[in-house]
Amino acid sequence: MVMTDDQDSVSARDMPKMQALIAAQGVNFRNAIATTPLCGPSRATIFRGQYAHSHGVKSNEPPLGGYAFYRDSGLEGDSLPVWLKAAGYRNAFVGKYINGYRPGFAFVPPGWDDWLALTQPMSYRDFTFNENGLDFQAPAGVYQTEYLATRALEFLRRTEDKDDQPFFLMVSTYAPHNVARPAARFEAEFASRGGPRTAAFDEADVSDKPRHIRRIPRFDSATVNAIDHEYRNVLRAVLSVDDLIGQLVDALSAQGELDNTAIIFVSDNGLSTGAHRFTDKTAPYAESLDIPLYIRVPGGAKGVSLPHLVANLDLPATILDWARVPAPPILEGRSLAPLLAPGAPAIGNWRSSMLIEYWDDTNPATAQMPTYKGVRAEDDVHADVYVRYDTDEDEYYDFRKDPYQLDSSIAGNQERVGQLRQRLQELSACSGAACR
């Protein structure tokens, strides 16, 4: 699994090696979402296979979350690497872990045989990391993504010593997290590009939006230039991730393991670069919720793009299914294995809705993004989203009529909104199989 940090789904189109080696050889899930569009909760979800309201990591830092909560609550000891290790897997982690992981931890988290985790605060160069319980400073001038690639390749070479043992390798890059810093060799790329310019960019009329969006001013030229500059660097930064993917695939091929290895490319959450005047993650808009998710699996479908509603929540169930490990009862996601086979089941035979949720611990009246819960739906008939904020405001968008979420239309869709409110009530406190 290669996971990026804060990567919007659009920028994945500019990763030629990923597109050739994973997308063209596997499946693109074009309706993949992060159920909580924030790094810490999403990462806990990817390790636990639960919604954030179930695992409890609701933010990046105390009191609502962070690494200390993930560790001290016992979640870390009952998670994907632990389940895989019990089934005989050799597991390696390389890169960014749960937010709040800092220097000073003289231990390796449960389930990992090889451990190299970036320690905060993070940077693209002159970074620090913990390797197998010891703190280190990166070699001077080394670019982080390239260093992570080197260390991941070292692990793959070591797997040849135990060729009959299955392995799980997770490479979690800091790229292209803001403020993105590309490798020197890519600094001149994408010189004429800027941020995505959909109809939602710097939206002129936000009178249908909740107060926290309405109070964001229109962009001036300096803001637009800054957005475009940052997005160019995002595209440049993901080229190093693209190279990393190419190197890993080449290594698997050289070792004769490519046809026996599933490969996942995903981001922990999306990112808005000016849609509805918002420039961050956390929003219940497509730019923040949508994540790139591409999976290549031996014997699976090739070059397929599916509309099925899937999420980061589904990755543990999928990996355990591949490993033939019985799914723990706490799992709230579904295995994507049936969708990866040639002739995937019709969308009508898949789930039609998922919960989205986010928590803020500031004053709701002044929060950049107040606490909310909502439902994202997708089936043969509907493609829509309903969100309810703690400020007693709500939004509804029908993606088939309004793909850029320009006009919240609750009044004209009372029956459908009523259905989604009922589904929200069912999902908002669900647990285990009831969430699936």
Side-chain angles (χ1 to χ4, degrees), residues 164-207:
D164 59 342
Q165 183 179 23
F167 70 87
F168 172 57
L169 168 63
M170 183 170 182
V171 185
S172 176
T173 70
Y174 183 55
H177 192 287
N178 186 307
V179 175
R181 291 287 184 264
R185 60 201 170 98
F186 293 129
E187 287 179 349
E189 300 292 331
F190 303 108
S192 62
R193 294 284 293 276
R197 291 293 196 275
T198 70
F201 183 80
D202 190 24
E203 187 177 354
D205 181 3
V206 293
S207 59

mmCIF file of all heavy atoms in Angstrom, residues 164-207:
data_model
loop_
_atom_site.group_PDB
_atom_site.id
_atom_site.type_symbol
_atom_site.label_atom_id
_atom_site.label_comp_id
_atom_site.label_asym_id
_atom_site.label_seq_id
_atom_site.Cartn_x
_atom_site.Cartn_y
_atom_site.Cartn_z
ATOM 1 N N ASP A 164 9.040 -17.645 1.212
ATOM 2 C CA ASP A 164 7.747 -18.306 1.366
ATOM 3 C C ASP A 164 6.850 -17.593 2.379
ATOM 4 O O ASP A 164 5.724 -18.034 2.615
ATOM 5 C CB ASP A 164 7.942 -19.759 1.793
ATOM 6 C CG ASP A 164 8.706 -19.886 3.107
ATOM 7 O OD1 ASP A 164 9.363 -18.900 3.502
ATOM 8 O OD2 ASP A 164 8.653 -20.965 3.727
ATOM 9 N N GLN A 165 7.326 -16.499 2.979
ATOM 10 C CA GLN A 165 6.522 -15.785 3.974
ATOM 11 C C GLN A 165 5.809 -14.607 3.308
ATOM 12 O O GLN A 165 6.445 -13.770 2.681
ATOM 13 C CB GLN A 165 7.399 -15.276 5.116
ATOM 14 C CG GLN A 165 6.587 -14.591 6.222
ATOM 15 C CD GLN A 165 7.461 -14.102 7.362
ATOM 16 O OE1 GLN A 165 8.656 -13.878 7.188
ATOM 17 N NE2 GLN A 165 6.876 -13.941 8.539
ATOM 18 N N PRO A 166 4.504 -14.515 3.454
ATOM 19 C CA PRO A 166 3.799 -13.364 2.876
ATOM 20 C C PRO A 166 4.176 -12.083 3.616
ATOM 21 O O PRO A 166 4.567 -12.122 4.783
ATOM 22 C CB PRO A 166 2.322 -13.710 3.077
ATOM 23 C CG PRO A 166 2.299 -14.632 4.254
ATOM 24 C CD PRO A 166 3.585 -15.418 4.173
ATOM 25 N N PHE A 167 4.075 -10.966 2.932
ATOM 26 C CA PHE A 167 4.441 -9.691 3.551
ATOM 27 C C PHE A 167 3.402 -8.620 3.267
ATOM 28 O O PHE A 167 2.652 -8.686 2.292
ATOM 29 C CB PHE A 167 5.818 -9.218 3.070
ATOM 30 C CG PHE A 167 5.856 -8.784 1.624
ATOM 31 C CD1 PHE A 167 5.537 -7.474 1.273
ATOM 32 C CD2 PHE A 167 6.216 -9.669 0.622
ATOM 33 C CE1 PHE A 167 5.564 -7.063 -0.059
ATOM 34 C CE2 PHE A 167 6.248 -9.263 -0.711
ATOM 35 C CZ PHE A 167 5.926 -7.960 -1.050
ATOM 36 N N PHE A 168 3.384 -7.630 4.157
ATOM 37 C CA PHE A 168 2.582 -6.421 3.980
ATOM 38 C C PHE A 168 3.515 -5.233 4.155
ATOM 39 O O PHE A 168 4.127 -5.068 5.211
ATOM 40 C CB PHE A 168 1.449 -6.366 5.013
ATOM 41 C CG PHE A 168 0.696 -5.054 5.021
ATOM 42 C CD1 PHE A 168 0.083 -4.573 3.877
ATOM 43 C CD2 PHE A 168 0.593 -4.294 6.186
ATOM 44 C CE1 PHE A 168 -0.610 -3.365 3.887
ATOM 45 C CE2 PHE A 168 -0.104 -3.093 6.213
ATOM 46 C CZ PHE A 168 -0.709 -2.626 5.062
ATOM 47 N N LEU A 169 3.639 -4.431 3.110
ATOM 48 C CA LEU A 169 4.472 -3.233 3.141
ATOM 49 C C LEU A 169 3.571 -2.017 2.956
ATOM 50 O O LEU A 169 2.833 -1.938 1.983
ATOM 51 C CB LEU A 169 5.525 -3.279 2.028
ATOM 52 C CG LEU A 169 6.286 -1.974 1.749
ATOM 53 C CD1 LEU A 169 7.100 -1.531 2.954
ATOM 54 C CD2 LEU A 169 7.184 -2.143 0.521
ATOM 55 N N MET A 170 3.650 -1.082 3.897
ATOM 56 C CA MET A 170 2.909 0.164 3.784
ATOM 57 C C MET A 170 3.899 1.319 3.726
ATOM 58 O O MET A 170 4.696 1.508 4.644
ATOM 59 C CB MET A 170 1.966 0.351 4.974
ATOM 60 C CG MET A 170 1.117 1.608 4.876
ATOM 61 S SD MET A 170 -0.169 1.640 6.153
ATOM 62 C CE MET A 170 -1.002 3.190 5.733
ATOM 63 N N VAL A 171 3.853 2.064 2.615
ATOM 64 C CA VAL A 171 4.686 3.245 2.433
ATOM 65 C C VAL A 171 3.773 4.455 2.461
ATOM 66 O O VAL A 171 2.905 4.601 1.606
ATOM 67 C CB VAL A 171 5.475 3.193 1.113
ATOM 68 C CG1 VAL A 171 6.425 4.392 1.023
ATOM 69 C CG2 VAL A 171 6.235 1.889 0.985
ATOM 70 N N SER A 172 3.967 5.304 3.459
ATOM 71 C CA SER A 172 3.055 6.425 3.703
ATOM 72 C C SER A 172 3.833 7.735 3.587
ATOM 73 O O SER A 172 4.530 8.137 4.517
ATOM 74 C CB SER A 172 2.441 6.276 5.103
ATOM 75 O OG SER A 172 1.617 7.377 5.420
ATOM 76 N N THR A 173 3.730 8.377 2.439
ATOM 77 C CA THR A 173 4.514 9.586 2.196
ATOM 78 C C THR A 173 3.883 10.804 2.855
ATOM 79 O O THR A 173 2.665 10.882 3.012
ATOM 80 C CB THR A 173 4.669 9.861 0.697
ATOM 81 O OG1 THR A 173 3.411 10.273 0.142
ATOM 82 C CG2 THR A 173 5.181 8.635 -0.037
ATOM 83 N N TYR A 174 4.729 11.758 3.212
ATOM 84 C CA TYR A 174 4.245 13.068 3.650
ATOM 85 C C TYR A 174 3.770 13.884 2.451
ATOM 86 O O TYR A 174 2.875 14.720 2.558
ATOM 87 C CB TYR A 174 5.354 13.794 4.402
ATOM 88 C CG TYR A 174 4.979 15.133 4.984
ATOM 89 C CD1 TYR A 174 3.897 15.270 5.842
ATOM 90 C CD2 TYR A 174 5.739 16.262 4.688
ATOM 91 C CE1 TYR A 174 3.573 16.497 6.388
ATOM 92 C CE2 TYR A 174 5.423 17.494 5.236
ATOM 93 C CZ TYR A 174 4.332 17.615 6.085
ATOM 94 O OH TYR A 174 4.015 18.831 6.629
ATOM 95 N N ALA A 175 4.381 13.667 1.309
ATOM 96 C CA ALA A 175 3.964 14.340 0.071
ATOM 97 C C ALA A 175 2.537 13.948 -0.275
ATOM 98 O O ALA A 175 2.136 12.809 -0.044
ATOM 99 C CB ALA A 175 4.902 13.945 -1.071
ATOM 100 N N PRO A 176 1.768 14.900 -0.834
ATOM 101 C CA PRO A 176 2.119 16.285 -1.161
ATOM 102 C C PRO A 176 1.574 17.299 -0.155
ATOM 103 O O PRO A 176 1.118 18.377 -0.539
ATOM 104 C CB PRO A 176 1.438 16.462 -2.512
ATOM 105 C CG PRO A 176 0.146 15.689 -2.360
ATOM 106 C CD PRO A 176 0.499 14.498 -1.495
ATOM 107 N N HIS A 177 1.621 16.952 1.121
ATOM 108 C CA HIS A 177 1.052 17.810 2.163
ATOM 109 C C HIS A 177 1.561 19.253 2.044
ATOM 110 O O HIS A 177 2.721 19.505 1.757
ATOM 111 C CB HIS A 177 1.425 17.239 3.533
ATOM 112 C CG HIS A 177 0.682 17.837 4.685
ATOM 113 N ND1 HIS A 177 0.934 19.107 5.160
ATOM 114 C CD2 HIS A 177 -0.304 17.340 5.477
ATOM 115 C CE1 HIS A 177 0.150 19.365 6.183
ATOM 116 N NE2 HIS A 177 -0.618 18.302 6.390
ATOM 117 N N ASN A 178 0.663 20.181 2.303
ATOM 118 C CA ASN A 178 0.985 21.615 2.321
ATOM 119 C C ASN A 178 1.989 21.929 3.439
ATOM 120 O O ASN A 178 1.839 21.428 4.556
ATOM 121 C CB ASN A 178 -0.322 22.376 2.562
ATOM 122 C CG ASN A 178 -0.187 23.874 2.457
ATOM 123 O OD1 ASN A 178 0.655 24.466 3.100
ATOM 124 N ND2 ASN A 178 -1.043 24.465 1.673
ATOM 125 N N VAL A 179 3.010 22.678 3.247
ATOM 126 C CA VAL A 179 3.384 23.365 2.025
ATOM 127 C C VAL A 179 4.244 22.399 1.215
ATOM 128 O O VAL A 179 5.312 21.981 1.677
ATOM 129 C CB VAL A 179 4.154 24.658 2.357
ATOM 130 C CG1 VAL A 179 4.664 25.337 1.099
ATOM 131 C CG2 VAL A 179 3.304 25.599 3.187
ATOM 132 N N ALA A 180 3.775 22.036 0.002
ATOM 133 C CA ALA A 180 4.457 21.016 -0.793
ATOM 134 C C ALA A 180 5.824 21.511 -1.248
ATOM 135 O O ALA A 180 5.970 22.666 -1.665
ATOM 136 C CB ALA A 180 3.602 20.644 -2.000
ATOM 137 N N ARG A 181 6.803 20.629 -1.161
ATOM 138 C CA ARG A 181 8.159 20.943 -1.601
ATOM 139 C C ARG A 181 8.637 19.815 -2.520
ATOM 140 O O ARG A 181 8.846 18.690 -2.060
ATOM 141 C CB ARG A 181 9.099 21.080 -0.402
ATOM 142 C CG ARG A 181 8.818 22.299 0.445
ATOM 143 C CD ARG A 181 9.260 23.580 -0.261
ATOM 144 N NE ARG A 181 9.081 24.763 0.558
ATOM 145 C CZ ARG A 181 8.019 25.570 0.492
ATOM 146 N NH1 ARG A 181 7.034 25.298 -0.352
ATOM 147 N NH2 ARG A 181 7.936 26.630 1.260
ATOM 148 N N PRO A 182 8.824 20.097 -3.799
ATOM 149 C CA PRO A 182 9.228 19.030 -4.714
ATOM 150 C C PRO A 182 10.716 18.750 -4.674
ATOM 151 O O PRO A 182 11.512 19.565 -4.193
ATOM 152 C CB PRO A 182 8.830 19.607 -6.081
ATOM 153 C CG PRO A 182 8.941 21.092 -5.914
ATOM 154 C CD PRO A 182 8.536 21.361 -4.485
ATOM 155 N N ALA A 183 11.088 17.594 -5.203
ATOM 156 C CA ALA A 183 12.504 17.289 -5.413
ATOM 157 C C ALA A 183 13.061 18.250 -6.454
ATOM 158 O O ALA A 183 12.344 18.702 -7.356
ATOM 159 C CB ALA A 183 12.669 15.849 -5.878
ATOM 160 N N ALA A 184 14.346 18.558 -6.350
ATOM 161 C CA ALA A 184 14.965 19.550 -7.236
ATOM 162 C C ALA A 184 14.765 19.205 -8.706
ATOM 163 O O ALA A 184 14.542 20.101 -9.530
ATOM 164 C CB ALA A 184 16.454 19.664 -6.904
ATOM 165 N N ARG A 185 14.791 17.920 -9.038
ATOM 166 C CA ARG A 185 14.702 17.531 -10.449
ATOM 167 C C ARG A 185 13.322 17.775 -11.050
ATOM 168 O O ARG A 185 13.167 17.728 -12.279
ATOM 169 C CB ARG A 185 15.100 16.067 -10.623
ATOM 170 C CG ARG A 185 14.237 15.089 -9.848
ATOM 171 C CD ARG A 185 14.967 13.756 -9.649
ATOM 172 N NE ARG A 185 14.284 12.886 -8.734
ATOM 173 C CZ ARG A 185 13.481 11.897 -9.123
ATOM 174 N NH1 ARG A 185 13.288 11.674 -10.411
ATOM 175 N NH2 ARG A 185 12.894 11.135 -8.234
ATOM 176 N N PHE A 186 12.324 18.057 -10.206
ATOM 177 C CA PHE A 186 10.975 18.296 -10.717
ATOM 178 C C PHE A 186 10.526 19.756 -10.579
ATOM 179 O O PHE A 186 9.382 20.076 -10.880
ATOM 180 C CB PHE A 186 9.972 17.395 -9.990
ATOM 181 C CG PHE A 186 10.148 15.930 -10.273
ATOM 182 C CD1 PHE A 186 10.225 15.020 -9.225
ATOM 183 C CD2 PHE A 186 10.239 15.458 -11.572
ATOM 184 C CE1 PHE A 186 10.391 13.666 -9.471
ATOM 185 C CE2 PHE A 186 10.405 14.103 -11.831
ATOM 186 C CZ PHE A 186 10.482 13.206 -10.788
ATOM 187 N N GLU A 187 11.408 20.629 -10.138
ATOM 188 C CA GLU A 187 10.997 22.003 -9.827
ATOM 189 C C GLU A 187 10.529 22.800 -11.039
ATOM 190 O O GLU A 187 9.812 23.792 -10.881
ATOM 191 C CB GLU A 187 12.141 22.735 -9.129
ATOM 192 C CG GLU A 187 12.347 22.276 -7.687
ATOM 193 C CD GLU A 187 13.493 22.984 -7.008
ATOM 194 O OE1 GLU A 187 14.281 23.683 -7.704
ATOM 195 O OE2 GLU A 187 13.624 22.857 -5.768
ATOM 196 N N ALA A 188 10.884 22.387 -12.234
ATOM 197 C CA ALA A 188 10.479 23.123 -13.433
ATOM 198 C C ALA A 188 9.241 22.522 -14.106
ATOM 199 O O ALA A 188 8.734 23.091 -15.087
ATOM 200 C CB ALA A 188 11.629 23.164 -14.435
ATOM 201 N N GLU A 189 8.743 21.422 -13.585
ATOM 202 C CA GLU A 189 7.571 20.779 -14.190
ATOM 203 C C GLU A 189 6.293 21.580 -13.918
ATOM 204 O O GLU A 189 6.197 22.325 -12.956
ATOM 205 C CB GLU A 189 7.410 19.360 -13.635
ATOM 206 C CG GLU A 189 8.590 18.439 -13.901
ATOM 207 C CD GLU A 189 8.742 18.107 -15.364
ATOM 208 O OE1 GLU A 189 7.730 18.081 -16.102
ATOM 209 O OE2 GLU A 189 9.889 17.877 -15.787
ATOM 210 N N PHE A 190 5.303 21.401 -14.793
ATOM 211 C CA PHE A 190 3.958 21.978 -14.630
ATOM 212 C C PHE A 190 3.978 23.509 -14.516
ATOM 213 O O PHE A 190 3.152 24.100 -13.815
ATOM 214 C CB PHE A 190 3.259 21.384 -13.401
ATOM 215 C CG PHE A 190 3.148 19.884 -13.429
ATOM 216 C CD1 PHE A 190 3.923 19.102 -12.591
ATOM 217 C CD2 PHE A 190 2.284 19.251 -14.309
ATOM 218 C CE1 PHE A 190 3.836 17.708 -12.603
ATOM 219 C CE2 PHE A 190 2.186 17.867 -14.335
ATOM 220 C CZ PHE A 190 2.959 17.094 -13.481
ATOM 221 N N ALA A 191 4.896 24.154 -15.221
ATOM 222 C CA ALA A 191 5.047 25.606 -15.088
ATOM 223 C C ALA A 191 3.800 26.366 -15.509
ATOM 224 O O ALA A 191 3.542 27.483 -15.019
ATOM 225 C CB ALA A 191 6.244 26.077 -15.915
ATOM 226 N N SER A 192 2.997 25.797 -16.394
ATOM 227 C CA SER A 192 1.807 26.501 -16.880
ATOM 228 C C SER A 192 0.528 26.053 -16.196
ATOM 229 O O SER A 192 -0.561 26.489 -16.582
ATOM 230 C CB SER A 192 1.673 26.293 -18.391
ATOM 231 O OG SER A 192 1.505 24.913 -18.700
ATOM 232 N N ARG A 193 0.647 25.202 -15.195
ATOM 233 C CA ARG A 193 -0.543 24.662 -14.521
ATOM 234 C C ARG A 193 -0.918 25.478 -13.304
ATOM 235 O O ARG A 193 -0.099 26.207 -12.737
ATOM 236 C CB ARG A 193 -0.293 23.209 -14.113
ATOM 237 C CG ARG A 193 -0.128 22.260 -15.263
ATOM 238 C CD ARG A 193 -1.445 21.913 -15.918
ATOM 239 N NE ARG A 193 -2.282 21.149 -15.019
ATOM 240 C CZ ARG A 193 -2.189 19.822 -14.857
ATOM 241 N NH1 ARG A 193 -1.277 19.139 -15.540
ATOM 242 N NH2 ARG A 193 -2.982 19.184 -14.032
ATOM 243 N N GLY A 194 -2.168 25.348 -12.896
ATOM 244 C CA GLY A 194 -2.644 25.953 -11.659
ATOM 245 C C GLY A 194 -3.619 25.009 -11.001
ATOM 246 O O GLY A 194 -3.780 23.855 -11.420
ATOM 247 N N GLY A 195 -4.274 25.487 -9.958
ATOM 248 C CA GLY A 195 -5.258 24.669 -9.282
ATOM 249 C C GLY A 195 -6.455 24.369 -10.171
ATOM 250 O O GLY A 195 -6.704 25.073 -11.148
ATOM 251 N N PRO A 196 -7.215 23.298 -9.870
ATOM 252 C CA PRO A 196 -8.398 22.956 -10.663
ATOM 253 C C PRO A 196 -9.378 24.116 -10.727
ATOM 254 O O PRO A 196 -9.668 24.756 -9.713
ATOM 255 C CB PRO A 196 -8.993 21.771 -9.901
ATOM 256 C CG PRO A 196 -7.838 21.170 -9.169
ATOM 257 C CD PRO A 196 -6.972 22.328 -8.786
ATOM 258 N N ARG A 197 -9.880 24.388 -11.923
ATOM 259 C CA ARG A 197 -10.810 25.500 -12.138
ATOM 260 C C ARG A 197 -12.179 24.954 -12.529
ATOM 261 O O ARG A 197 -12.605 25.026 -13.681
ATOM 262 C CB ARG A 197 -10.293 26.426 -13.235
ATOM 263 C CG ARG A 197 -9.064 27.231 -12.881
ATOM 264 C CD ARG A 197 -9.389 28.268 -11.785
ATOM 265 N NE ARG A 197 -8.342 29.264 -11.716
ATOM 266 C CZ ARG A 197 -7.221 29.141 -11.017
ATOM 267 N NH1 ARG A 197 -7.012 28.028 -10.305
ATOM 268 N NH2 ARG A 197 -6.319 30.094 -11.011
ATOM 269 N N THR A 198 -12.860 24.382 -11.564
ATOM 270 C CA THR A 198 -14.244 23.991 -11.810
ATOM 271 C C THR A 198 -15.153 25.178 -11.526
ATOM 272 O O THR A 198 -14.706 26.242 -11.077
ATOM 273 C CB THR A 198 -14.648 22.819 -10.902
ATOM 274 O OG1 THR A 198 -14.732 23.291 -9.546
ATOM 275 C CG2 THR A 198 -13.633 21.679 -10.981
ATOM 276 N N ALA A 199 -16.433 25.003 -11.763
ATOM 277 C CA ALA A 199 -17.399 26.068 -11.492
ATOM 278 C C ALA A 199 -17.463 26.415 -10.008
ATOM 279 O O ALA A 199 -17.961 27.483 -9.642
ATOM 280 C CB ALA A 199 -18.780 25.648 -11.986
ATOM 281 N N ALA A 200 -16.936 25.529 -9.150
ATOM 282 C CA ALA A 200 -16.978 25.790 -7.704
ATOM 283 C C ALA A 200 -15.831 26.668 -7.234
ATOM 284 O O ALA A 200 -15.869 27.180 -6.107
ATOM 285 C CB ALA A 200 -16.946 24.466 -6.944
ATOM 286 N N PHE A 201 -14.812 26.873 -8.079
ATOM 287 C CA PHE A 201 -13.645 27.647 -7.649
ATOM 288 C C PHE A 201 -14.035 29.093 -7.348
ATOM 289 O O PHE A 201 -14.665 29.765 -8.163
ATOM 290 C CB PHE A 201 -12.560 27.614 -8.727
ATOM 291 C CG PHE A 201 -11.298 28.337 -8.342
ATOM 292 C CD1 PHE A 201 -10.371 27.731 -7.515
ATOM 293 C CD2 PHE A 201 -11.056 29.627 -8.787
ATOM 294 C CE1 PHE A 201 -9.207 28.388 -7.149
ATOM 295 C CE2 PHE A 201 -9.895 30.297 -8.432
ATOM 296 C CZ PHE A 201 -8.966 29.671 -7.604
ATOM 297 N N ASP A 202 -13.669 29.557 -6.145
ATOM 298 C CA ASP A 202 -13.989 30.930 -5.737
ATOM 299 C C ASP A 202 -15.460 31.239 -6.023
ATOM 300 O O ASP A 202 -15.793 32.276 -6.604
ATOM 301 C CB ASP A 202 -13.074 31.925 -6.464
ATOM 302 C CG ASP A 202 -13.191 33.337 -5.906
ATOM 303 O OD1 ASP A 202 -13.584 33.491 -4.737
ATOM 304 O OD2 ASP A 202 -12.890 34.285 -6.664
ATOM 305 N N GLU A 203 -16.322 30.347 -5.594
ATOM 306 C CA GLU A 203 -17.751 30.429 -5.920
ATOM 307 C C GLU A 203 -18.315 31.822 -5.630
ATOM 308 O O GLU A 203 -18.155 32.367 -4.539
ATOM 309 C CB GLU A 203 -18.514 29.371 -5.118
ATOM 310 C CG GLU A 203 -19.974 29.257 -5.500
ATOM 311 C CD GLU A 203 -20.686 28.144 -4.746
ATOM 312 O OE1 GLU A 203 -20.017 27.398 -4.006
ATOM 313 O OE2 GLU A 203 -21.917 28.035 -4.897
ATOM 314 N N ALA A 204 -18.957 32.383 -6.649
ATOM 315 C CA ALA A 204 -19.426 33.772 -6.543
ATOM 316 C C ALA A 204 -20.595 33.918 -5.576
ATOM 317 O O ALA A 204 -20.650 34.870 -4.789
ATOM 318 C CB ALA A 204 -19.816 34.288 -7.924
ATOM 319 N N ASP A 205 -21.531 32.984 -5.629
ATOM 320 C CA ASP A 205 -22.739 33.086 -4.811
ATOM 321 C C ASP A 205 -22.779 31.917 -3.834
ATOM 322 O O ASP A 205 -23.045 30.776 -4.215
ATOM 323 C CB ASP A 205 -23.980 33.065 -5.711
ATOM 324 C CG ASP A 205 -25.279 33.198 -4.927
ATOM 325 O OD1 ASP A 205 -25.224 33.369 -3.687
ATOM 326 O OD2 ASP A 205 -26.356 33.125 -5.550
ATOM 327 N N VAL A 206 -22.507 32.204 -2.572
ATOM 328 C CA VAL A 206 -22.535 31.164 -1.544
ATOM 329 C C VAL A 206 -23.695 31.397 -0.575
ATOM 330 O O VAL A 206 -23.659 30.950 0.572
ATOM 331 C CB VAL A 206 -21.188 31.092 -0.779
ATOM 332 C CG1 VAL A 206 -20.081 30.603 -1.689
ATOM 333 C CG2 VAL A 206 -20.826 32.445 -0.172
ATOM 334 N N SER A 207 -24.730 32.050 -1.053
ATOM 335 C CA SER A 207 -25.872 32.355 -0.180
ATOM 336 C C SER A 207 -26.601 31.089 0.255
ATOM 337 O O SER A 207 -27.313 31.104 1.266
ATOM 338 C CB SER A 207 -26.844 33.297 -0.886
ATOM 339 O OG SER A 207 -27.323 32.734 -2.105
#
